[in-house]
Amino acid sequence: MAFLEVENMSLEFGGVKACQNVNFSLEPGILYGLIGPNGAGKSTIFNVLTGIYAPTRGDVRLGGESLVGKKPFEIAQKGIGRTFQNIRLFKELTVLENVMTSFYSSSHTTLADMVFQTKKFSSEEDEIRVKSLELLDVMGIKDLSDVPAGGLPYGKQRKLEIARALGLNPKLLLLDEPAAGLNPAETRELTNLIRDIQKARNITVLLIEHDMGLVMNICEKIYVLVQGQLVCEGVADVIQNDKRVIEAYLGVD
Amino acid sequence: MKKINSTLLLILMFLGGALIINFVMSGFSVSPGSLLWMKPGRFDGLISPYYYSILIILGINIILSVSLALLNGFTGLFTMGHAGFMAIGAYTSASVVTFLLPNAPFVIQLFCGSLAAGAFSALVGFFIGTSCLRLNGDYLGMVTLGFGEIIRIVLLNIDAVGGARGMTDIPVYMNLGSVFLLTIITILVIKRIRDGRLGRAMLAIKENEMAANMMGINPLSIKVRAFVISSFIAGVAGSFFAHSEGYLSTQTFTFTKSFEVIAMNVVGGLGSLSGAIVGAGILTVLPEGLRKLQDLTGIDIRMIIYALTMVLIMILRPQGLMGNKEWKWLSSK
């Protein structure tokens, strides 16, 4: 039973065909990889899934419901969390506040609750704070919770972005190059972390990554995108031996 | 229950403070008039009428400044029409009190007047907010500047509120105690909004709108709410202004007033509530304080020093005097 289906999705900017007839579906609880050369349209697919771009043709469905025409924040509320290739944290806010922000749509305090600081307000705030700290603990940055997010080292910023996306309690987590800019040790640590989180929360993860070691290591199924078209899908072994994939990455004689 | 009680306790405490201020200022008079709404007739209390009126203006400026901080500093919406909202509030309240409720007791007059001022100003804020929210940065500033001037010109051409002659004979109700009380309440309200989920959403939108979207935050709705809350408070500040001066002229609400409020925010530090208060304090007290210097030297150097101070602050502390810092009682922790 696929819970996210992308059907004949095409996206064109004028004459530029960013995605052409992309078809794939994601099953719950599986870790997927999306790879492809630079400019293949991987991040574009993320942007379509999260509603930043509306597809020119085709459909995207989450649990049978079409996401086309939905606003980005509505899609986020439906349970798709994401991180960005170029980190987009709330830099002036503290690490803890960054994560607390993601509980916005699941909390219910009204303006009056805030102004009079009612019991509902304080219990909800406490709850959000505890949950956020738990997420930071999972990502191993709990001790930095009072530091402004912009002051974190790069690797920790990546972790914070994942923690923030998890605050939405997503069914589907999209990670856009989570290991970009990390050293091998950090990458290994993050790889294990992503796998642990995915198993522990039983969520679906779709990750874009150029670090093939990471992808081949943890992804249960991999999609390969070349020039806006899906050319191959399957487990790591299949991908590594596929002619079209090798052609796209290494060229042909 | 405990929390509600502590809020009540806080308000009672400030009310007590306000009464004490009025008691002292009125030269230790105990008549209800001098304690609650009348400006002291004889200033054998502590200070002269001149300083007394500066303190009242200071309070009103702080209210304006923190209400703009909510829009400008927290949500990152650069608006230049704050004087317009203040004007709407001032004229609405003055009209309600003089035309609709001329014989009501002062509490009802002031309450209804301020509420109508805030509500009408918020309504206009809602329309301006919804119609300009696709604009960002300087463009939003330009449009709100235009709206502010439109509001002023419209008021200038309504004969019922005095037109170019200005509106006179507005009952004077605000004294130092009540302005103090209302200023503190406004600061606390804004602080509490900032510390709740709404404030976090505002800050998130300022920092990165795209990422805020991905957190399930609807930026348009948050921005409209910021506009409505901010214009409500600016309207109420206008109402207090009307009832402390007793006279209104549209000349007070030109775009220079809007810029003055922006300058308060910038000098104190954009994004800091304490900064908005410090900025309001400096920009209110400095021009008045320099009058003494002018009297002493006999040269009109007041505005030169005032301008130089602002330039120096911008060069030496471009992030504002407070930067991003907050005083302890206003910090979110």
Side-chain angles (χ1 to χ4, degrees):
Chain A
M1 179 208 82
F3 90 108
L4 182 99
E5 297 162 293
V6 177
E7 199 178 87
N8 287 325
M9 190 272 289
S10 298
L11 177 67
E12 292 161 12
F13 299 104
V16 179
K17 291 175 173 147
C19 296
Q20 298 174 53
N21 284 322
V22 173
N23 281 290
F24 66 89
S25 56
L26 306 180
E27 310 283 335
I30 293 181
L31 212 165
Y32 292 91
L34 177 61
I35 62 171
N38 287 329
K42 303 180 295 294
S43 293
T44 308
I45 287 187
F46 272 23
N47 286 342
V48 171
L49 293 183
T50 51
I52 295 170
Y53 297 140
T56 318
R57 280 183 301 280
D59 202 5
V60 178
R61 284 189 298 270
L62 182 73
E65 187 188 357
S66 176
L67 297 181
V68 175
K70 291 262 191 310
K71 298 263 170 40
F73 68 90
E74 291 171 321
I75 294 177
Q77 287 171 2
K78 285 185 193 303
I80 299 186
R82 78 170 283 183
T83 65
F84 294 89
Q85 186 179 349
N86 45 345
I87 301 175
R88 289 173 185 263
L89 288 172
F90 308 125
K91 291 194 180 114
E92 305 268 314
L93 271 61
T94 66
V95 168
L96 179 63
E97 285 167 341
N98 263 273
V99 182
M100 287 173 82
T101 313
S102 62
F103 289 91
Y104 178 80
S105 56
S106 56
S107 46
H108 308 284
T109 42
T110 59
L111 191 62
D113 286 324
M114 288 177 231
V115 170
F116 294 109
Q117 299 205 329
T118 56
K119 204 172 181 183
K120 187 175 156 200
F121 170 85
S122 27
S123 64
E124 195 173 84
E125 281 291 299
D126 290 344
E127 196 186 316
I128 291 175
R129 186 167 289 116
V130 169
K131 281 185 184 167
S132 303
L133 284 170
E134 269 169 27
L135 287 173
L136 289 175
D137 200 22
V138 170
M139 299 308 293
I141 45 177
K142 192 182 176 186
D143 48 333
L144 296 167
S145 61
D146 285 335
V147 177
L152 286 184
Y154 195 77
K156 300 221 158 83
Q157 292 197 3
R158 289 244 173 245
K159 286 182 180 173
L160 173 56
E161 230 192 357
I162 296 174
R164 193 180 62 175
L166 286 172
L168 272 176
N169 202 10
K171 290 181 241 154
L172 171 63
L173 180 62
L174 307 173
L175 302 175
D176 200 341
E177 299 205 22
L182 303 190
N183 65 33
E186 286 175 322
T187 304
R188 261 197 310 281
E189 193 199 335
L190 192 71
T191 309
N192 294 331
L193 211 51
I194 292 173
R195 190 169 45 200
D196 292 349
I197 290 168
Q198 188 261 331
K199 290 290 169 242
R201 307 184 141 235
N202 195 29
I203 53 178
T204 310
V205 174
L206 176 61
L207 66 87
I208 295 177
E209 190 47 72
H210 283 300
D211 187 321
M212 290 303 150
L214 188 157
V215 175
M216 300 300 166
N217 194 353
I218 62 171
C219 294
E220 292 160 77
K221 191 175 177 189
I222 299 166
Y223 290 100
V224 185
L225 193 72
V226 178
Q227 296 198 335
Q229 289 173 303
L230 278 182
V231 296
C232 184
E233 58 181 85
V235 292
D237 286 345
V238 177
I239 299 292
Q240 279 164 348
N241 298 313
D242 191 279
K243 224 181 89 196
R244 286 161 302 179
V245 179
I246 296 169
E247 204 177 284
Y249 273 94
L250 303 174
V252 277
D253 291 333
Chain B
M1 255 350 256
K2 234 178 175 173
K3 276 285 168 191
I4 296 178
N5 283 342
S6 77
T7 301
L8 258 179
L9 201 71
L10 217 56
I11 290 177
L12 283 178
M13 216 174 76
F14 293 131
L15 186 65
L19 290 180
I20 291 171
I21 288 178
N22 283 341
F23 178 62
V24 174
M25 285 297 164
S26 59
F28 309 102
S29 147
V30 281
S31 80
S34 62
L35 282 184
L36 290 175
W37 69 89
M38 277 173 1
K39 279 189 184 176
R42 10 177 242 127
F43 286 87
D44 46 8
L46 280 179
I47 51 179
S48 74
Y50 170 62
Y51 291 119
Y52 192 87
S53 68
I54 290 177
L55 284 176
I56 286 186
I57 295 286
L58 173 66
I60 291 169
N61 278 346
I62 289 176
I63 297 178
L64 275 177
S65 178
V66 293
S67 77
L68 186 70
L70 188 81
L71 259 187
N72 222 329
F74 300 161
T75 322
L77 295 169
F78 183 57
T79 60
M80 302 204 271
H82 229 54
F85 296 127
M86 189 190 173
I88 292 177
Y91 277 91
T92 306
S93 179
S95 308
V96 165
V97 170
T98 45
F99 300 136
L100 290 181
L101 306 163
N103 299 317
F106 102 98
V107 184
I108 292 175
Q109 281 188 334
L110 190 60
F111 183 75
C112 293
S114 303
L115 204 65
F120 192 44
S121 179
L123 190 71
V124 175
F126 175 78
F127 282 118
I128 294 178
T130 42
S131 54
C132 327
L133 278 182
R134 294 190 189 285
L135 300 172
N136 268 321
D138 302 345
Y139 301 102
L140 181 66
M142 288 298 158
V143 174
T144 45
L145 174 71
F147 270 116
E149 283 299 287
I150 290 172
I151 291 167
R152 189 178 68 86
I153 302 292
V154 167
L155 287 171
L156 184 64
N157 287 289
I158 299 178
D159 223 28
V161 293
R165 292 185 312 279
M167 195 169 180
T168 50
D169 297 330
I170 304 164
V172 173
Y173 291 137
M174 304 303 289
N175 56 20
L176 196 54
S178 46
V179 169
F180 163 81
L181 177 67
L182 294 164
T183 307
I184 295 280
I185 288 178
T186 311
I187 293 172
L188 279 184
V189 164
I190 297 207
K191 174 203 180 304
R192 289 178 170 192
I193 290 175
R194 184 202 61 190
D195 293 345
R197 66 178 190 131
L198 184 58
R200 269 198 302 276
M202 287 173 176
L203 290 164
I205 287 168
K206 180 180 93 169
E207 294 283 321
N208 197 320
E209 194 166 334
M210 171 81 83
N213 251 309
M214 293 300 137
M215 298 293 111
I217 295 167
N218 179 355
L220 291 189
S221 120
I222 300 287
K223 286 178 180 178
V224 170
R225 272 186 249 183
F227 248 103
V228 168
I229 296 170
S230 179
S231 52
F232 180 90
I233 296 173
V236 173
S239 157
F240 299 162
F241 178 77
H243 295 295
S244 68
E245 297 282 298
Y247 167 75
L248 285 178
S249 148
T250 53
Q251 278 309 309
T252 320
F253 306 109
T254 56
F255 64 87
T256 26
K257 181 72 190 173
S258 300
F259 286 143
E260 201 185 313
V261 186
I262 294 172
M264 290 170 190
N265 270 254
V266 174
V267 163
L270 268 178
S272 159
L273 200 52
S274 325
I277 299 167
V278 170
I282 289 178
L283 293 201
T284 312
V285 172
L286 190 67
E288 299 298 334
L290 287 172
R291 278 185 208 280
K292 272 262 183 274
L293 194 69
Q294 189 180 334
D295 293 342
L296 284 176
T297 54
I299 322 165
D300 189 5
I301 50 170
R302 194 165 64 99
M303 280 301 144
I304 299 175
I305 295 182
Y306 177 74
L308 268 180
T309 315
M310 297 223 351
V311 170
L312 280 178
I313 289 175
M314 284 300 99
I315 291 173
L316 298 175
R317 260 192 96 77
Q319 73 274 43
L321 290 173
M322 295 295 291
N324 270 327
K325 303 271 185 303
E326 295 283 3
W327 291 322
K328 200 151 190 186
W329 65 284
L330 285 178
S331 80
S332 51
K333 270 134 232 148

